Amino acid sequence: MVEQNNNLDSVFHALADPTRREIVRLIASQERTVSELAAPFDMSLAAISKHIKVLERAGILDRSVKGRTHTCRLNAESLSSATDWLRFYEHFWNRQFDALERELSNAKKEELQ
């Protein structure tokens, strides 16, 4: 359980930054080199590399090296702990909103009587 929580913490930490979320979005559609990932951002290649390392440590992306070319690909499995955690709270909030809807509906019926 502790290992799962550490992974969850790492995933949410990595996704907390908008630049890293955009990198994840970019690699979700296809593998990209570090240079391709850096192109849309107004920051140095070294800064993008730091973001990539955070995503790599969280297990969100895998990097392969062929010569001088570093290619990044999404490791969607690593996001499963975050998905499971969010799904639990989605069910919780859906139940809460359903109960609120029932209460509001009952109040409206009583108001009309």
Side-chain angles (χ1 to χ4, degrees):
M1 185 68 162
V2 172
E3 183 178 320
Q4 183 179 5
N5 286 338
N6 287 340
N7 181 50
L8 186 62
D9 291 346
S10 296
V11 168
F12 280 120
H13 168 73
L15 295 176
D17 184 87
T19 300
R20 292 193 287 265
R21 288 193 304 271
E22 182 62 15
I23 290 170
V24 170
R25 189 190 68 74
L26 290 169
I27 63 173
S29 59
Q30 69 183 51
E31 293 181 358
R32 297 184 192 262
T33 66
V34 172
S35 297
E36 290 171 331
L37 290 172
F41 301 100
D42 186 24
M43 60 180 68
S44 69
L45 199 55
I48 288 295
S49 290
K50 287 181 181 181
H51 285 295
I52 289 170
K53 286 178 185 174
V54 171
L55 291 166
E56 195 173 18
R57 279 193 301 270
I60 295 171
L61 69 74
D62 293 322
R63 184 187 343 202
S64 61
V65 181
K66 188 172 185 178
R68 294 179 62 172
T69 305
H70 293 235
T71 304
C72 301
R73 77 186 61 71
L74 181 66
N75 177 5
E77 279 186 36
S78 67
L79 298 174
S80 65
S81 61
T83 302
D84 293 343
W85 189 86
L86 290 169
R87 192 170 292 126
F88 170 81
Y89 286 98
E90 178 184 24
H91 292 308
F92 168 79
W93 283 111
N94 283 339
R95 287 192 309 268
Q96 298 299 315
F97 288 133
D98 290 345
L100 176 61
E101 184 177 23
R102 283 190 303 275
E103 289 298 319
L104 291 173
S105 180
N106 289 340
K108 188 174 182 178
K109 286 178 187 175
E110 289 176 10
E111 189 177 286
L112 293 174
Q113 290 178 354

